[in-house]
Amino acid sequence: MTNLLVELFVEELPPKALKKLGESFATVLADSLKAQGLAASDAAVTPFASPRRLGVHVAGVAAKAADRPVQQKLMPVAVALTADGQPTPALLKKLAAVGAGPEVVPQLKRQPDGKAEALFWDSLQPGATLAQGLQKALDETLARLPIPKVMTYQLADGWTDVKFVRPAHGLVALHGAEVVPVRALGLAAGRTTQGHRFEAAQAVVSLESADRYAAQLREQGAVIASFAERRAEIARQLQGAADALSLTPIDDDALLDEVTALVERPNVLTCAFEPEFLAVPQECLILTMKANQKYFPLLDAQGRLTRHFLVVSNIAPADASAVTGGNERVVRPRLADAKFFFDQDRKKTLADRLPGLAKVVYHGKLGSQGERAGRVGAIAHAIVNQLSMATLPYTVEADDEFKVLDSKVRQAAQLAKCDLLTDMVGEFPELQGIMGGYYARHEGLRDGVAIAIEDHYKPRFAGDALPRNHTGTVVALADKLETLVGLFGVKQLPTGDKDPFALRRHALGVIRILVEKNLPLALPALIDAAVPAFGELIEDPREALLSFFADRLAVGLRDQGYSAQEVDAVLALRPARLGDVPRRLEAVRAFAALPEAASLAAANKRVANILKKVEGERPTDVKPELLQDAAEQALAAAIADVQPAADRLFEQRDYTGSLQALAALKGPVDVFFNDVMVNADDPALRANRLALLGRLHAAMNRVADLSRLAA
């Protein structure tokens, strides 16, 4: 067994795709070799990916796979053999097709195949040679690469077209020190590759063996071939340069991945810009430095932007001043543009921009952003009303009555989208909301309103912070509900992995706000309040939207570690208050740990099945005089004894206590099902027993559908 190295040398690969391309190249190629028996299932696989190469090192690859026993079904015995057991022409033809002759007929096996017998042939399939297997693996790997956009280019002959992510110029395939004769993209495999464009000690690197690949590229080619090693080296240098200034580099994994994909030999340099630009909101400066220049801004101990930033260079000259000076010159116009946009935007108030929203199309069937802002305001007003009338008290700020909250909410909802018309957001759409908050503060609007304008998009992504105040919470809910109700109402639903309007993210945002802020709001009531804001523009989306929320909630809860059974049991009841769901889940988990749980869950399932089969209207009144059997009398007494305490605890939202109170029903329930025939011949008796089971079912399933816990 010898180690294998494969490298495809290409022109500069798209940086945002490089990490996935490298992982796919290594994984698919190695998996194919393993599937063909050329490498062990646990063989170590090391991926390589740099701006100009994709590679993989696979440990312990055989020169030839072992022969494998194969059993082939030929045909039914009735077709294969004559009455006296001789092979038919059909059988002989089939044997010839699989590479065998008449001499193997005595070795064929008769085995049952459905209702008839068939003939089977056991043979040894020769294992693939490495050249054959690697060619197959390479072809499969290139076909399955997640290429964002395919290029078409010509080979050196000037006639042959090739389609790939970028033009390929070299192929290496080494099994130990030997070249494996494979081809790809019009290239024949060899042992030479190229080093760094400017820093390599040798422009062409002749590789000694598969195991010397990474070391030779580093020593002779000035290239760190491993994406992971290069990334770690950049992170180390960034931290070192920041520590020298007692500052912190901005934490951005996506930026670090992208920069890793842009350099082969990283060299981190420290640069600075003029202090006057720090008057611009730091989000603007950070975004332009990251998005346009791929720089790493540096923050002070309080998280404030400083004038220093870090550049990851692909060269390491003895005198780096030309590189640092060039980067400082390049960033200056970007920062100047941001300062110009900020200064110009502040010459108009957000309210001055309101009429312009009527000219911005939001959706062909849902009107303009101005109309949308009106709907968000109406939904936000309805949410404030629901909060003010909630059965569970919801306390706003000490100096903030609901009327004042409503005033803030209406103002924030009206102005929240106005920053879409600013120059800054026009240049950097990612800053919508954030810039609205800055401009609102500049105008002297109430701080609660400014914060709400800034926060109304939150949470923007998984793990993002929630809105910070009551006003922002209400407007964020209203904004997300307006999007969901409107787009569901015009049938713009997510399909498969396509979700162009990010409706899944909006739904998860609503769920997080309701759950994590434990708001006393019912999701169905919120949707009911949002629908009228659209008038005749939409069809009723309520049922579809509630199912969509239930699916999103179930996925999120399972991701948090709750079992499918626990989630199913709680969500089967479609709890209106999502803030209650975590408590219900913990109650179900605690109940499931009780020794009585399995028996009660099974009994609950049995009760549910019995009640489902009742035709017509189900009886509900239990008549004590018809409780003839001692077991049904005991069950009725136990329910009467347990239910008040369980219900009281439920109303107090002590769901764990409510479920645990039901444990006392185990004995009476077990005896009932052992001694009592529910479907008695006497109709009155049967109706009474069904009513008793209905009462039991209702008592047991207020917190969750316990039947879903049954094995």
Side-chain angles (χ1 to χ4, degrees):
M1 297 290 240
T2 308
N3 298 339
L4 175 74
L5 182 282
V6 179
E7 183 209 66
L8 188 64
F9 183 79
V10 296
E11 294 182 14
E12 274 75 3
L13 292 158
K16 290 186 178 179
L18 179 64
K19 187 177 182 182
K20 284 187 177 179
L21 289 171
E23 291 168 351
S24 176
F25 186 88
T27 301
V28 176
L29 190 142
D31 286 350
S32 180
L33 294 176
K34 292 174 183 179
Q36 296 178 72
L38 288 163
S41 59
D42 59 349
V45 179
T46 306
F48 298 103
S50 83
R52 298 198 295 159
R53 72 199 75 236
L54 298 172
V56 59
H57 180 280
V58 184
V61 176
K64 181 180 180 297
D67 296 344
R68 290 187 292 183
V70 175
Q71 185 176 76
Q72 292 175 274
K73 176 186 170 183
L74 298 176
M75 58 182 59
V77 171
V79 178
L81 301 175
T82 62
D84 59 354
Q86 296 303 307
T88 64
L91 176 59
L92 295 175
K93 185 177 180 181
K94 179 67 174 178
L95 287 172
V98 296
E103 70 277 1
V104 305
V105 172
Q107 303 167 25
L108 301 181
K109 293 181 179 178
R110 290 188 179 205
Q111 291 180 195
D113 184 45
K115 295 182 178 180
E117 275 191 323
L119 286 183
F120 291 82
W121 179 43
D122 291 336
S123 63
L124 277 180
Q125 180 177 314
T129 65
L130 179 56
Q132 294 168 333
L134 181 56
Q135 186 66 64
K136 179 182 177 182
L138 198 52
D139 292 343
E140 182 182 353
T141 298
L142 297 182
R144 291 176 54 186
L145 275 181
I147 297 174
K149 190 173 182 180
V150 175
M151 280 185 65
T152 301
Y153 63 95
Q154 287 185 330
L155 296 181
D157 62 15
W159 294 97
T160 309
D161 282 347
V162 176
K163 295 181 184 296
F164 196 53
V165 59
R166 291 291 186 271
H169 296 294
L171 177 64
V172 173
L174 291 177
H175 188 225
E178 300 298 320
V179 174
V180 184
V182 293
R183 297 184 65 85
L185 305 174
L187 302 167
R191 63 169 65 250
T192 60
T193 186
Q194 296 184 35
H196 195 287
R197 285 189 187 276
F198 312 109
E199 302 282 335
Q202 298 174 212
V204 177
V205 179
S206 180
L207 298 169
E208 300 167 11
S209 68
D211 292 345
R212 284 280 294 151
Y213 172 73
Q216 278 190 263
L217 268 182
R218 185 188 287 266
E219 295 161 7
Q220 300 170 21
V223 171
I224 301 175
S226 166
F227 188 96
E229 286 183 30
R230 208 163 58 254
R231 190 182 194 276
E233 173 62 17
I234 293 171
R236 185 191 68 77
Q237 290 189 35
L238 287 172
Q239 192 60 55
D243 288 346
L245 297 171
S246 299
L247 299 174
T248 303
I250 197 157
D251 185 14
D252 190 322
D253 284 342
L255 177 61
L256 184 54
D257 284 343
E258 189 173 359
V259 170
T260 303
L262 287 168
V263 299
E264 291 190 312
R265 183 188 183 185
N267 179 35
V268 172
L269 302 171
T270 303
C271 304
F273 57 79
E274 288 79 358
E276 66 189 70
F277 292 121
L278 291 174
V280 180
Q282 70 177 42
E283 292 89 346
C284 308
L285 305 182
I286 290 172
L287 185 58
T288 192
M289 283 193 285
K290 291 197 310 182
N292 295 320
Q293 304 304 136
K294 315 305 175 192
Y295 296 158
F296 287 83
L298 291 175
L299 309 177
D300 65 16
Q302 287 72 45
R304 295 173 305 207
L305 181 68
T306 68
R307 60 187 293 261
H308 298 283
F309 60 94
L310 302 177
V311 174
V312 182
S313 174
N314 196 33
I315 56 175
D319 180 5
S321 59
V323 179
T324 55
N327 280 285
E328 290 172 348
R329 263 195 321 276
V330 167
V331 80
R332 193 173 296 118
R334 295 286 189 181
L335 302 183
D337 285 347
K339 185 175 186 303
F340 175 77
F341 294 148
F342 186 55
D343 292 340
Q344 289 297 112
D345 285 343
R346 288 182 296 170
K347 293 179 180 179
K348 290 176 68 175
T349 67
L350 292 173
D352 289 340
R353 302 179 190 274
L354 264 175
L357 289 178
K359 301 175 185 177
V360 180
V361 175
Y362 165 54
H363 186 280
K365 295 182 179 179
L366 298 174
S368 68
Q369 286 287 2
E371 292 169 297
R372 183 186 183 200
R375 292 193 295 266
V376 172
I379 297 168
H381 172 66
I383 293 173
V384 173
N385 285 341
Q386 289 188 21
L387 285 172
S388 68
M389 296 185 292
T391 52
L392 290 173
Y394 180 76
T395 306
V396 295
E397 290 92 342
D399 60 346
D400 198 7
E401 298 177 352
F402 280 105
K403 286 184 179 179
V404 178
L405 176 62
D406 189 46
S407 170
K408 288 182 178 180
V409 161
R410 285 175 179 270
Q411 185 180 23
Q414 182 186 43
L415 300 177
K417 304 298 179 186
C418 289
D419 67 352
L420 296 176
L421 300 175
T422 62
D423 292 337
M424 187 71 81
V425 174
E427 180 71 14
F428 301 112
E430 303 93 328
L431 295 177
Q432 55 190 286
I434 294 170
M435 295 314 301
Y438 275 107
Y439 297 142
R441 290 187 190 91
H442 172 72
E443 295 169 26
L445 298 182
R446 290 175 287 188
D447 193 50
V449 172
I451 290 174
I453 291 172
E454 180 179 343
D455 286 2
H456 83 280
Y457 289 107
K458 292 181 179 178
R460 297 170 184 253
F461 50 84
D464 190 20
L466 298 183
R468 289 166 286 176
N469 64 12
H470 299 286
T471 309
T473 297
V474 171
V475 178
L477 274 176
D479 183 66
K480 291 168 176 57
L481 286 167
E482 191 277 339
T483 301
L484 288 160
V485 170
L487 291 168
F488 264 72
V490 295
K491 307 300 183 185
Q492 296 281 319
L493 281 60
T495 55
D497 60 351
K498 294 180 180 177
D499 187 8
F501 297 101
L503 298 185
R504 294 186 181 99
R505 177 168 56 79
H506 280 86
L508 288 173
V510 171
I511 290 167
R512 278 194 60 200
I513 290 172
L514 293 176
V515 171
E516 295 178 30
K517 288 186 173 285
N518 196 21
L519 298 179
L521 296 169
L523 180 60
L526 287 173
I527 296 173
D528 287 344
V531 170
F534 290 86
E536 303 297 321
L537 289 176
I538 63 171
E539 297 179 27
D540 191 337
R542 276 172 269 217
E543 278 305 311
L545 198 46
L546 284 171
S547 295
F548 183 69
F549 270 108
D551 290 343
R552 293 298 93 211
L553 181 57
V555 170
L557 292 171
R558 288 195 293 269
D559 289 345
Q560 291 174 36
Y562 293 104
S563 71
Q565 275 187 317
E566 291 167 344
V567 172
D568 192 29
V570 170
L571 298 191
L573 301 186
R574 285 280 182 95
R577 277 204 60 217
L578 301 191
D580 279 347
V581 168
R583 294 184 183 209
R584 290 176 185 248
L585 282 165
E586 292 304 324
V588 167
R589 182 167 286 181
F591 173 79
L594 297 174
E596 300 89 350
S599 176
L600 283 173
N604 200 317
K605 188 173 184 178
R606 185 174 179 182
V607 170
N609 290 334
I610 291 171
L611 296 177
K612 279 180 190 175
K613 296 176 182 177
V614 176
E615 296 180 359
E617 189 173 348
R618 198 174 76 205
T620 56
D621 293 332
V622 178
K623 298 176 181 177
E625 66 274 12
L626 292 178
L627 298 171
Q628 297 180 353
D629 195 289
E632 59 184 329
Q633 292 172 359
L635 179 58
I639 294 172
D641 183 50
V642 167
Q643 188 169 6
D647 287 350
R648 184 179 66 256
L649 291 166
F650 179 87
E651 297 302 333
Q652 294 170 356
R653 301 173 67 220
D654 182 357
Y655 301 129
T656 299
S658 181
L659 280 183
Q660 291 181 341
L662 300 174
L665 294 174
K666 178 186 180 301
V669 168
D670 289 346
V671 174
F672 176 86
F673 279 116
N674 189 59
D675 295 355
V676 177
M677 174 68 71
V678 176
N679 290 318
D681 293 333
D682 184 341
L685 201 57
R686 181 169 64 250
N688 203 54
R689 288 172 179 173
L690 288 171
L692 179 62
L693 289 184
R695 181 175 294 179
L696 173 66
H697 191 261
M700 293 180 70
N701 292 285
R702 294 197 72 186
V703 174
D705 181 352
L706 299 184
S707 69
R708 308 293 178 107
L709 300 177

